[in-house]
Amino acid sequence: MDFLQLPDSMIDKSAVKDKQQEDSAAARDPRWTPADFSIVYSKDLLPASGGEEMTLGFLQELVKILFGYICKSSQRSSKVLDFHHPHQLKDGLEGFSLNLPDQPETLEQILVDCRDTLKYGVSTGHPRFFNQLSSGLDVIGVAGEWLTSTANTNMFTYEVSPVFLLMEEILLRKMQSIVGWSDDDGDGIFCPGGTISNLYSILLARYHFYPEVKTRGMGALPQLALFTSEHSHYSVKKSAAVLGIGSENVAVVKCDERGKMIPAELESSIVTAEEKGLVPFYVNATAGTTVYGAFDPLNDIADICHRHTLWMHVDAAWGGGLLMSDRHRMKLQGIERACSVTWNPHKMMGVPLQCSAILVKKKGLLKECNEFCAEYLFQMDKPYNVSYDTGDKSIQCGRHVDAFKLWLMWKAKGSEGFGTQVNKCLENAEYLYDQLQMRTDFELVFKDKPEHSNVCFWYIPPSLRGLPLGTERDKRLHQVAPQIKGRMMEKGSVLIGYQPLGDKVNFFRCVFSNPATQQEDIDFLLDEIVWLGHDL
């Protein structure tokens, strides 16, 4: 069934033959658009009177562009990116201009702009895009995003978003159950990214211990201290700064060589903070660190939090997806003891950006902390159960519908399908690890098998292989990854990230979250790094 097909009564039969000729021309030249779009403007589309057929034609042309991009993203012969420097894009390329006009442009130009926008962007759905934790291009998720944009509603009240709010509630309950909380526990909300989810956790912890902060401010509180590992996400310090606690009052706890928080160091840091006159209140444990993919020892940290009466948050933005896998969920043992959890389905679960949730064990705390009872939105005498008006649980007023695409993907895959997807990504990481172990032109950053899908390594070009370990070798090795990355971007065949960490000079970090990636793509990555860096 063609869901974009107009009813027969609305079709101009005489135009069918012309349309067939147009389709034939479009097949010959993918940049071709129907001639009539050169004299048609957005004002001619719905809700303009009689604009149904023109709107349908425009959307069909747009779908062709999007479908072509989706197909191209899965082709290994296509580029991951067609790189241009900022000044080149600003100056304009082949008729693609970023400048905004005073007069409206035709729909033909709008379609060309849509096509060019995709052309000059990065194909994050490409099976050889290893640069970020979020990658892949799930067609069901894309469909969910399209529907969400078409509905164009807000998530603050049941009045304007009845179905989406119920979907969000069902998803949150499912995720809370998977974390290990009982049906009587749990609350949550979808947020614009893991950084905001982590900010919510600190906000809620502070309110839980000091509810007077909501009205009297930080001046009414003692000087607070919170704790996080040296490998944790930077959003913890950023949140402390935003909330007025201060980044200097974030104690950074030492990790072992694998990147896991050391429990004894956490205990020591808490005692030290108390001796300085600070009041500890919150500990952030990480399940899946950004660089190493390490999992902090959650049960040990929970024991310490219990002894000192501290809020325990688990940042599982990256690692939460492993809860979907029967094979790997034991890496998050103890997460059920957390007071709050960050989980980003837009990472390991492959949901289109953005899709992040803050899960809170204590019911009602989100609303108590954030509500201000705006009467133009949250009237108590509405003709339905107003507990479904979730806007007062949020820092935001307007909130994008992030739940539907996840709900739709869950319906399409089932929990089992997500588990299979996670297993595949971690199998790819094990394959890369095994390949690196067997080669003399690469070195692993640490020898242990990866816990997550992160694999960290150096490429050692021939000119460095005879050098002894030391400062000179490190200085030269530090320059290798950035130079290879620069060449990689210019060529556009593959993309991978790099960074230094602590005393370790720049190394590559490969992450797998795209189930389309195969072993041949991993082999290609290593061969490409060697090709791009052999003369350094």
Side-chain angles (χ1 to χ4, degrees), residues 171 174 178 324 406-415 418:
L171 279 169
K174 184 73 170 179
I178 290 170
M324 305 301 296
L406 174 56
W407 180 87
L408 201 65
M409 286 176 64
W410 213 311
K411 295 278 280 190
K413 295 175 186 285
S415 302
F418 278 124

Side-chain angles (χ1 to χ4, degrees), residues 56-74:
L56 175 63
F58 175 73
L59 291 177
Q60 285 177 328
E61 291 302 320
L62 182 61
V63 167
K64 287 179 186 177
I65 292 170
L66 298 178
F67 177 68
Y69 179 79
I70 291 170
C71 291
K72 190 175 181 182
S73 292
S74 66

Side-chain angles (χ1 to χ4, degrees), residues 166-203:
L166 294 179
M167 289 174 172
E168 181 177 60
E169 179 191 47
I170 288 166
L171 279 169
L172 290 168
R173 283 184 180 175
K174 184 73 170 179
M175 294 168 78
Q176 290 155 12
S177 172
I178 290 170
V179 165
W181 295 343
S182 71
D183 291 341
D184 295 329
D185 294 325
D187 200 350
I189 200 165
F190 280 84
C191 305
T195 291
I196 302 301
S197 293
N198 286 341
L199 186 146
Y200 267 103
S201 71
I202 301 175
L203 178 73

Side-chain angles (χ1 to χ4, degrees), residues 214-249:
K214 183 174 178 178
T215 52
R216 297 174 61 196
M218 285 295 293
L221 274 57
Q223 194 168 3
L224 302 178
L226 57 150
F227 306 83
T228 192
S229 88
E230 59 185 344
H231 283 244
S232 66
H233 195 261
Y234 72 92
S235 59
V236 177
K237 280 192 173 183
K238 179 177 281 192
S239 297
V242 169
L243 293 171
I245 296 168
S247 60
E248 289 184 359
N249 293 320

Side-chain angles (χ1 to χ4, degrees), residues 36-104:
D36 54 359
F37 282 129
S38 66
I39 55 172
V40 177
Y41 294 84
S42 63
K43 65 179 177 60
D44 300 313
L45 302 178
L46 288 172
S49 177
E52 291 86 356
E53 190 168 350
M54 193 60 69
T55 301
L56 175 63
F58 175 73
L59 291 177
Q60 285 177 328
E61 291 302 320
L62 182 61
V63 167
K64 287 179 186 177
I65 292 170
L66 298 178
F67 177 68
Y69 179 79
I70 291 170
C71 291
K72 190 175 181 182
S73 292
S74 66
Q75 295 168 359
R76 287 166 174 81
S77 58
S78 66
K79 285 186 172 186
V80 177
L81 77 159
D82 182 4
F83 178 75
H84 292 82
H85 291 280
H87 70 87
Q88 294 174 305
L89 288 174
K90 284 184 176 181
D91 291 344
L93 290 165
E94 301 173 348
F96 179 53
S97 173
L98 297 173
N99 295 327
L100 297 173
D102 292 327
Q103 299 301 317

Side-chain angles (χ1 to χ4, degrees), residues 230-408:
E230 59 185 344
H231 283 244
S232 66
H233 195 261
Y234 72 92
S235 59
V236 177
K237 280 192 173 183
K238 179 177 281 192
S239 297
V242 169
L243 293 171
I245 296 168
S247 60
E248 289 184 359
N249 293 320
V250 179
V252 177
V253 182
K254 290 180 182 177
C255 294
D256 61 22
E257 69 284 350
R258 185 59 187 80
K260 298 171 179 286
M261 183 191 288
I262 302 171
E265 293 288 344
L266 172 60
E267 188 105 49
S268 175
S269 295
I270 293 169
V271 172
T272 300
E274 290 173 336
E275 289 172 349
K276 291 179 178 178
L278 302 177
V279 179
F281 78 107
Y282 170 101
V283 175
N284 173 67
T286 309
T289 59
T290 306
V291 180
Y292 282 0
F295 291 80
D296 287 341
L298 302 183
N299 270 317
D300 292 340
I301 293 170
D303 290 341
I304 293 169
C305 290
H306 179 72
R307 281 199 299 274
H308 292 272
T309 317
L310 304 178
W311 181 284
M312 177 184 171
H313 175 68
V314 176
D315 178 3
W318 177 220
L322 272 63
L323 291 168
M324 305 301 296
S325 165
D326 291 338
R327 190 185 305 171
H328 296 287
R329 64 170 290 118
M330 76 285 188
K331 296 172 183 176
L332 293 94
Q333 282 183 346
I335 194 171
E336 71 281 357
R337 300 176 66 185
C339 301
S340 56
V341 173
T342 291
W343 183 351
N344 285 9
H346 69 230
K347 290 188 171 127
M348 182 53 66
M349 293 171 71
V351 179
L353 286 160
Q354 62 194 25
C355 190
S356 174
I358 176 69
L359 308 177
V360 187
K361 198 168 193 176
K362 185 179 179 182
K363 273 187 177 177
L365 189 64
L366 264 168
K367 187 171 183 181
E368 289 172 24
C369 179
N370 295 311
E371 71 176 337
F372 275 92
C373 306
E375 292 182 350
Y376 62 89
L377 276 179
F378 308 120
Q379 306 93 341
M380 300 307 293
D381 52 359
K382 291 180 179 180
Y384 60 83
N385 183 349
V386 295
S387 68
Y388 288 100
D389 288 354
T390 61
D392 247 354
K393 291 164 61 172
S394 170
I395 300 172
Q396 305 159 254
C397 178
R399 190 161 63 90
H400 185 258
V401 177
D402 294 327
F404 177 69
K405 55 198 168 188
L406 174 56
W407 180 87
L408 201 65

